[in-house]
């Protein structure tokens, strides 16, 4: 008896120690003000691989798996692969963006937006599926997340309960019970999705499988039998609840795994459409070890003569540069800024054109970067101009891009410097979800007016002087939609382009633009969302979509600022110098004993 007690005591001591160790790790990583960072949570969970990027299963494991010879064996492999994916994603906390438009019927244009909603969160895929939000509504307490508020009174405002967590469920068919006990698999046919040959199965839940089971079709690539697309809904909703229909796509962005990338969902007869986009899978989870290996030594030579101290002006510029670098680095680490890339080169070219023709010479070069999010916004910090992915998407041409960039360039030229407070590094210490509460680059109205005036002056002296009609048309199109798109037009870091449903930014350009004419098929005033910039969910890189333009045959095809389904062209991951990477089953993810029901918690 005593021995048992002793043993229990020592076990308890060990547990206390373990708890202490976990707490210390958490404190070391995190300022006390940000206890909610899911990165910390992920890093301290007893998951051995949490801190390291998981490697693809070994070639040996692969060799031991013979190709399946019957459809039953294929189904077994599909189930195993899905469990492997769930395990692979366990330590990851990707960002998920949900943008939803409620639609109304327009006799001429078909379904058009009636109002919209925007959610930005971070998923924690460790035990079940959980998420935390970047956005907080004004006047709401800190601890009160989006889900809680949706569960509390205001859901009546919406036609359905829009629960971001509900959308997040759609990345898997069934997080906990994807197996033969809960589902019937019916082989339908073979089909190509892009370059990838797939086997298509229809899935139906077994009779007593319970509520909220996946019902629909899955596409499985025919080498490793990973699911690459899911299309359907969840069956048997609880009373007074609805499930959206969803079309969920995965991309082979890392060897051996197809990671959830896009989910398009819709309810019924064009009454609502929602785009869900995931990215930031490879964002570092930020343990101390990780950060040591990440330290990058920039070999920029300091060529200031050694005897020379900084003049006050030089010191001021250094200071601003430091603030700028801090902000850019922090935004990228939070998954909100794409790494430097080809899209920046395009933006940079337009900025250069404006600078050269206006004889603008700045002590430091102007750089451009892309914000990874959809809301239409721009801001500048120091000499870096930041434009959102969503805004680049909807701009019809280079002239309108020049308009957008000229406003921020004007702020820089006029010396409307913002953000020098961020040269203090303590101001960079916040959780990723705290970004919008901790960073802000809003100008006062006087500076906004002055920037518009200067921007128009610069545009008129630039190669874009002849292209300002299209920029004006864009503003007109935006004006017709602005009252219905308040979520899309809500800036989170800079100034909004509109105020109370009226376009204010560069609005003068609309006066000289031709009339907006939906029936004029060659007049493209603004594009749908998602048509121009492609965001890589694995490494957050952005690139311009390479797509053949499709002829517009009616006013309904224009769809300015609208949400449309995704249809990515699938291809297999390709490492230069190695053959297409294939994988085999790793040991199954530990069976979760948690709630067996994938029901979005309504
Ligand atoms: Zn501005």
């Amino acid at each position: 008896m005593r021995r048992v007690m002793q043993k229990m005591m020592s076990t308890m001591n060990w547990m206390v120690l373990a708890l202490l160790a976990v707490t210390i790790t958490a404190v070391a990583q995190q300022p006390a003000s940000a206890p909610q960072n899911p990165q910390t949570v992920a890093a301290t969970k007893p998951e051995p691989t949490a801190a390291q990027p998981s490697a693809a299963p070994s070639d040996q494991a692969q060799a031991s798996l013979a190709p399946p010879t019957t459809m039953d064996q294929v189904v077994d492999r599909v189930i195993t692969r899905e469990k492997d994916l769930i395990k692979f994603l366990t330590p990851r906390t990707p960002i998920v963006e949900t943008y939803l438009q409620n639609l109304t019927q327009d006799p001429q244009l078909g379904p058009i937006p009636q109002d919209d909603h925007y959610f930005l969160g971070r998923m924690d895929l460790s035990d079940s599926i959980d998420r935390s939000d970047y956005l907080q509504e004004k006047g709401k307490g800190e601890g009160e997340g989006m889900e809680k508020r949706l569960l509390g009174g205001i859901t009546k405002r919406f036609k359905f309960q829009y629960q971001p967590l509900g959308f997040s469920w759609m990345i898997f068919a069934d997080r906990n019970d994807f197996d033969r006990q809960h589902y019937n698999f019916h082989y339908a046919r073979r089909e190509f999705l892009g370059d990838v040959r797939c086997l298509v199965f229809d899935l139906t839940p077994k009779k007593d499988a319970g509520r909220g089971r996946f019902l629909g079709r899955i596409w499985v690539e025919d080498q490793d039998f990973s699911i690459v697309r899911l299309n359907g809904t969840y069956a048997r909703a609880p009373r007074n609840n609805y499930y959206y229909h969803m079309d969920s796509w995965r991309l082979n962005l890392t060897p051996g795994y197809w990671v959830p990338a896009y989910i398009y969902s819709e309810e019924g007869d064009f009454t609502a459409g929602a785009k869900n986009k995931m990215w930031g899978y490879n964002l570092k989870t930020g343990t101390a070890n990780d950060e040591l290996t990440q330290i990058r030594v920039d070999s920029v030579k300091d060529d200031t003569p050694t005897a020379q101290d900084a003049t006050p002006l030089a010191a001021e510029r250094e200071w601003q540069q430091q603030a700028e670098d801090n902000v850019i680095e922090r935004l990228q680490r939070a998954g909100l800024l794409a790494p430097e890339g080809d899209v920046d080169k395009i933006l940079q070219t337009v900025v250069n054109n404006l600078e050269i023709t206006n004889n603008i010479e700045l002590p430091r070069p102007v750089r451009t970067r892309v914000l990874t999010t959809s809301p239409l916004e721009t801001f500048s910090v120091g000499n870096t101009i930041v434009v959102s992915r969503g805004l680049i998407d909807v701009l019809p041409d280079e002239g309108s891009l020049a308009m957008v960039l000229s406003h921020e360039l004007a702020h820089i030229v006029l010396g409307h410097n913002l953000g020098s407070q961020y040269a203090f590094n303590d101001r960079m210490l916040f959780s990723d979800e705290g970004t919008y509460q901790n960073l802000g680059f809003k100008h006062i109205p006087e500076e906004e007016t002055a920037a518009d005036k200067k921007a128009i002056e610069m545009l008129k002296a630039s190669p874009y002087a002849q292209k300002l009609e299209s920029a004006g048309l864009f503003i007109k199109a935006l004006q017709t939609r602005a009252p219905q798109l308040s979520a899309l037009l809500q800036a989170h870091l800079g100034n909004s382009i509109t105020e109370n449903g009226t376009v204010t930014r560069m609005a003068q350009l609309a006066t000289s633009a031709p009339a907006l004419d939906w029936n004029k098929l060659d007049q493209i005033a603004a594009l749908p969302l998602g048509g121009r910039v492609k965001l890589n969910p694995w490494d957050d890189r952005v690139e311009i979509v390479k797509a053949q333009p499709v002829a517009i045959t009616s006013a309904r095809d224009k769809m300015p600022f609208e949400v449309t389904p995704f249809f990515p062209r699938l291809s297999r991951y390709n490492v230069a110098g190695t053959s297409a990477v294939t994988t085999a089953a790793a040991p199954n993810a530990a069976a979760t004993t948690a709630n067996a029901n994938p029901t979005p918690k309504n």
Side-chain angles (χ1 to χ4, degrees):
M1 184 65 193
R2 213 176 136 204
R3 282 187 57 172
V4 172
M5 274 302 286
Q6 266 179 344
K7 201 170 175 199
M8 268 180 70
M9 286 296 288
S10 67
T11 311
M12 280 175 67
N13 279 339
W14 178 84
M15 282 172 66
V16 170
L17 269 177
L19 271 171
L20 212 65
V22 167
T23 318
I24 289 166
T25 326
V27 169
Q29 289 160 14
Q30 207 54 48
S33 63
Q36 294 302 323
N37 190 347
Q39 292 185 344
T40 310
V41 174
T44 52
K45 282 206 171 122
E47 163 61 53
T49 59
Q52 296 117 23
S54 311
S58 71
D59 290 341
Q60 264 183 340
Q62 187 186 325
S64 67
L65 270 180
T69 49
T70 65
M71 254 336 144
D72 264 1
Q73 287 171 357
V74 169
V75 169
D76 287 340
R77 291 284 287 274
V78 172
I79 291 168
T80 307
R81 289 301 295 148
E82 188 68 358
K83 289 184 171 160
D84 289 345
L85 178 74
I86 291 168
K87 191 177 184 200
F88 174 67
L89 294 179
T90 293
R92 296 178 191 275
T93 55
I95 291 172
V96 57
E97 180 189 63
T98 300
Y99 178 60
L100 181 147
Q101 290 180 342
N102 280 316
L103 306 173
T104 182
Q105 280 291 330
D106 178 272
Q108 182 191 6
L109 301 174
I112 60 165
Q114 184 177 41
D115 61 49
D116 65 345
H117 302 278
Y118 181 72
F119 309 100
L120 184 70
R122 198 128 188 209
M123 280 193 281
D124 177 354
L125 301 172
S126 51
D127 288 331
S128 61
I129 300 173
D130 207 350
R131 61 175 277 163
S132 50
D133 275 85
Y134 279 67
L135 305 175
Q136 288 181 347
E137 262 173 35
K138 285 192 185 94
K140 296 279 173 183
E142 280 254 340
E144 216 177 348
M146 179 65 71
E147 288 136 44
K148 226 184 201 168
R149 266 177 286 118
L150 283 176
L151 287 170
I154 62 168
T155 46
K156 284 195 193 107
R157 254 175 55 206
F158 305 140
K159 198 171 168 190
F160 298 106
Q161 289 186 319
Y162 301 137
Q163 295 198 66
L165 187 63
F167 288 117
S168 309
W169 271 108
M170 300 174 186
I171 66 173
F172 300 120
D174 193 322
R175 172 72 171 73
N176 300 327
D177 297 306
F178 185 70
D179 54 35
R180 288 178 187 278
Q181 287 75 56
H182 295 83
Y183 291 96
N184 297 309
F185 292 75
H186 301 281
Y187 170 71
R189 62 162 186 265
R190 278 176 203 276
E191 190 180 310
F192 269 96
L193 290 181
D195 302 335
V196 178
R197 194 168 58 182
C198 295
L199 304 172
V200 184
F201 291 88
D202 287 327
L203 249 68
T204 47
K206 294 233 157 129
K207 225 165 96 190
D208 48 0
R211 292 189 191 283
R213 297 293 178 193
F214 178 76
L215 172 70
R217 177 163 279 199
I218 58 170
W219 283 255
V220 174
E221 48 83 22
D222 73 346
Q223 285 181 13
D224 304 314
F225 308 101
S226 292
I227 297 176
V228 301
R229 182 185 180 192
L230 303 130
N231 178 299
T233 187
Y234 296 92
R236 298 233 289 127
R239 255 157 69 93
N240 300 324
N241 282 285
Y242 303 88
Y243 290 117
Y244 269 69
H245 293 268
M246 58 105 162
D247 190 21
S248 176
W249 293 79
R250 297 176 178 178
L251 300 177
N252 193 192
L253 299 170
T254 184
Y257 294 96
W258 290 74
V259 295
Y262 316 109
I263 305 168
Y264 174 73
S265 30
E266 211 176 76
E267 193 41 66
D269 321 308
F270 294 107
T271 54
K275 268 188 155 174
N276 301 268
K277 221 177 184 113
M278 275 71 74
W279 71 87
Y281 279 104
N282 208 26
L283 286 172
K284 295 292 177 241
T285 46
T287 63
N289 280 340
D290 235 20
E291 269 168 21
L292 272 178
T293 57
Q294 264 182 68
I295 289 177
R296 191 172 41 120
V297 182
D298 289 320
S299 55
V300 178
K301 197 170 133 246
D302 184 358
D303 51 9
T304 330
T306 42
Q308 200 178 313
D309 289 322
T311 64
L313 179 59
E316 171 72 16
R317 284 180 184 156
E318 276 289 315
W319 188 250
Q320 283 167 5
Q321 180 73 58
Q322 195 178 316
E324 178 180 336
D325 293 347
N326 278 351
V327 168
I328 295 302
E329 197 235 281
R330 186 67 191 87
L331 284 173
Q332 190 171 327
R333 201 145 43 86
L336 295 175
L337 205 69
E340 262 182 289
D342 290 346
V343 180
D344 297 318
K345 285 180 195 147
I346 297 170
L347 305 185
Q348 195 73 58
T349 306
V350 175
V351 171
N352 287 346
N353 289 342
L354 289 165
E355 284 185 300
I356 290 167
T357 46
N358 284 279
N359 299 312
I360 294 166
E361 279 187 39
L362 294 163
R364 294 189 291 123
V366 174
R367 302 181 292 179
T368 57
R369 294 294 287 272
V370 180
L371 206 62
T372 47
T373 50
S374 288
L376 313 188
E377 72 173 306
T378 68
F379 63 91
S380 45
V381 51
N383 276 23
T384 299
I385 297 175
V386 178
V387 185
S388 69
R389 171 172 58 85
L391 182 53
I392 301 171
D393 265 346
V394 297
L395 293 171
D397 61 1
E398 200 177 325
S400 51
L401 179 59
M403 167 188 70
V404 164
L405 292 166
S406 67
H407 175 90
E408 293 301 338
L409 181 62
H411 280 307
I412 293 171
V413 170
L414 294 171
H416 297 167
N417 239 308
L418 278 181
S420 58
Q421 73 267 31
Y422 302 125
F424 291 106
N425 286 281
D426 57 294
R427 295 206 162 111
M428 297 296 112
L429 299 177
F430 47 80
S431 70
D432 292 345
E433 294 88 329
T435 303
Y436 294 150
Q437 283 80 54
N438 286 277
L439 296 180
F441 308 95
K442 282 192 171 58
H443 291 279
I444 54 170
E446 289 75 15
E447 288 184 347
E448 283 300 290
T449 313
D452 272 0
K453 189 163 167 266
K454 179 73 185 168
I456 288 171
E457 212 179 283
M458 290 192 295
L459 286 169
K460 287 191 170 153
S462 80
Y464 305 108
Q466 308 311 312
K467 294 171 184 161
L468 294 183
E469 282 196 352
S470 69
L473 265 174
F474 173 79
I475 288 176
K476 282 189 170 176
L478 187 58
Q479 186 52 66
T480 61
R481 287 283 187 272
Q484 287 78 42
L485 300 179
S486 56
L488 187 65
L489 291 166
Q490 172 71 54
H492 297 284
L493 289 166
N495 292 86
S496 287
I497 296 172
T498 58
E499 255 170 55
N500 304 322
T502 305
V503 181
T504 47
R505 174 94 51 96
M506 303 294 278
Q508 298 97 308
L509 286 178
T511 52
S512 50
L516 203 58
D517 183 353
W518 297 118
N519 286 322
K520 204 161 173 270
L521 295 185
D522 62 347
Q523 188 195 74
I524 306 298
L527 305 180
L529 285 164
R532 209 182 264 289
V533 182
K534 198 158 78 175
L535 171 61
N536 183 314
W538 189 254
D539 59 17
D540 297 356
R541 292 194 178 277
V542 287
E543 56 180 311
I544 296 292
V545 172
K546 296 176 205 82
Q548 289 289 334
V550 177
I552 283 183
T553 57
S554 81
R556 287 176 181 237
D557 290 345
K558 291 187 176 178
M559 305 186 289
F561 311 107
E562 286 176 28
V563 159
T564 56
F566 292 100
F567 233 96
R569 184 174 176 82
L570 298 189
S571 59
R572 291 182 185 279
Y573 183 84
N574 219 335
V575 199
T578 57
S579 57
V581 177
T582 54
T583 60
N588 282 3
T592 39
T593 48
N595 177 13
N597 196 336
T599 312
K601 291 163 195 157
N602 285 325

